Amino acid sequence: GIDYYGGIELQGLRLFGLQSEKGDAYVTFHKNDTVFGKIWADAFRLDEEKIETTDAQVSFYFEKDSLFHPDIHVKFTSDDNQVMLFNEAGGAEMPPFFNSYHQLIIYSEALYWNIDSTEMYFKNMRGVNQNNKASFVSNNYFSIRDFYRLQGMDDINPLYTIFNYLHTYGGETIQLGAFSEFMRKPKEQVAALLINLGRKGFLIYDSKTETATVKQRLYDYLDAKSGQADYDVIRLESEVFARPNALIDLNDLSLDVFGVPEVFISDSQEV
């Protein structure tokens, strides 16, 4: 089943769910009498045919892990009981899904799930073009080429700059204003940097609060660079026609990825 928690406001003939004094507005999905999924957002459009929201945070719970997205458009349609999560920005602009159960960062345009089904699948949004592309990157992925690509023309790699900032101020949260002063760069430029690092899975940036929460991957990446941690170069590039890129079976939480021509498990290609 589906439940909504939060405030209610009628705007003309449209009903909206909003944050209340008690806290955030959210929608929950239940499976076997437990909360299986949760959507947080500032506002939901509520009607008999659909529930819809933008800029939402979404979690689906897989045992002690989760499939999480920090900023995505969500639509539930009651006629077919389908939940669709979709990135409004495509390609390199879209933030990824974080899958802690399978230890993957997933770049996919959309995720579909019929709440009566035991299958979730990743694919592009429905449209004329039926070529579906998605990337599945290991949490332990490290590439020296990507490391220096991040650094660009800067003297210090931004991952080291973030590490030094956190070492100076403590905690795991970056405040945009303080970090801009730390870097001695304009806020707009630093915000763009944080957004880019968020797309690469190193942190989660919230443009509303101008804060970023650093993920463990940033520390693991720096440890891999210094030789203090093992890493891999597993990156699955899926390309299929008129079928999903990947499927999660909710019965056993297995993940099948389709349309992957080859898999590299060493970095010898990067010499």
Side-chain angles (χ1 to χ4, degrees), residues 21-264:
E21 294 179 356
K22 295 182 179 180
D24 294 338
Y26 60 93
V27 169
T28 58
F29 297 97
H30 295 264
K31 187 169 169 283
N32 299 327
D33 298 322
T34 60
V35 175
F36 170 67
K38 194 170 182 179
I39 304 168
W40 297 265
D42 290 339
F44 292 86
R45 182 176 174 183
L46 308 171
D47 59 42
E48 292 183 2
E49 291 79 25
K50 66 182 179 182
I51 299 172
E52 188 168 7
T53 186
T54 59
D55 304 323
Q57 290 190 1
V58 181
S59 284
F60 292 106
Y61 303 110
F62 299 162
E63 297 178 355
K64 295 181 180 179
D65 293 288
S66 68
L67 175 66
F68 172 74
H69 200 289
D71 185 7
I72 201 162
H73 195 132
V74 182
K75 182 186 289 186
F76 168 76
T77 45
S78 59
D79 60 341
D80 56 5
N81 276 343
Q82 182 165 259
V83 181
M84 179 174 69
L85 282 61
F86 59 96
N87 279 295
E88 296 184 274
E93 298 298 311
M94 62 184 178
F97 293 87
F98 296 93
N99 183 339
S100 62
Y101 184 86
H102 298 100
Q103 293 292 296
L104 290 171
I105 300 166
I106 301 172
Y107 295 87
S108 176
E109 202 169 278
L111 171 71
Y112 294 85
W113 174 49
N114 181 304
I115 64 172
D116 298 321
S117 166
T118 58
E119 295 180 344
M120 288 180 161
Y121 54 96
F122 295 94
K123 60 178 288 185
N124 285 3
M125 290 174 59
R126 291 170 178 156
V128 176
N129 186 355
Q130 296 191 65
N131 286 314
N132 296 315
K133 295 182 179 181
S135 299
F136 301 80
V137 183
S138 167
N139 275 0
N140 293 324
Y141 177 88
F142 173 77
S143 161
I144 193 66
R145 183 183 303 165
D146 289 351
F147 181 86
Y148 286 116
R149 201 176 277 148
L150 267 179
Q151 184 166 335
M153 300 298 291
D154 292 339
D155 294 331
I156 302 175
N157 191 288
L159 300 183
Y160 282 124
T161 306
I162 289 173
F163 180 86
N164 292 335
Y165 170 88
L166 295 176
H167 181 74
T168 301
Y169 290 96
E172 302 298 324
T173 303
I174 299 169
Q175 303 289 336
L176 177 60
F179 190 50
S180 299
E181 293 179 7
F182 188 81
M183 292 190 72
R184 298 180 181 178
K185 291 185 177 181
K187 281 181 67 174
E188 296 77 10
Q189 184 178 345
V190 176
L193 169 66
L194 294 176
I195 291 170
N196 182 49
L197 293 176
R199 291 172 185 148
K200 297 183 184 302
F202 293 110
L203 52 83
I204 295 172
Y205 180 65
D206 187 334
S207 58
K208 300 186 190 97
T209 61
E210 295 189 336
T211 59
T213 303
V214 172
K215 297 191 69 67
Q216 181 61 37
R217 182 168 188 251
L218 185 144
Y219 301 108
D220 294 343
Y221 214 77
L222 293 179
D223 286 344
K225 171 64 172 62
S226 63
Q228 297 180 42
D230 293 332
Y231 65 90
D232 61 51
V233 294
I234 298 174
R235 183 183 182 104
L236 309 180
E237 298 292 345
S238 165
E239 185 170 359
V240 294
F241 181 78
R243 63 180 296 199
N245 296 100
L247 182 149
I248 297 176
D249 186 331
L250 299 180
N251 290 314
D252 59 8
L253 297 179
S254 60
L255 170 69
D256 292 321
V257 181
F258 310 108
V260 180
E262 55 188 354
V263 179
F264 295 109

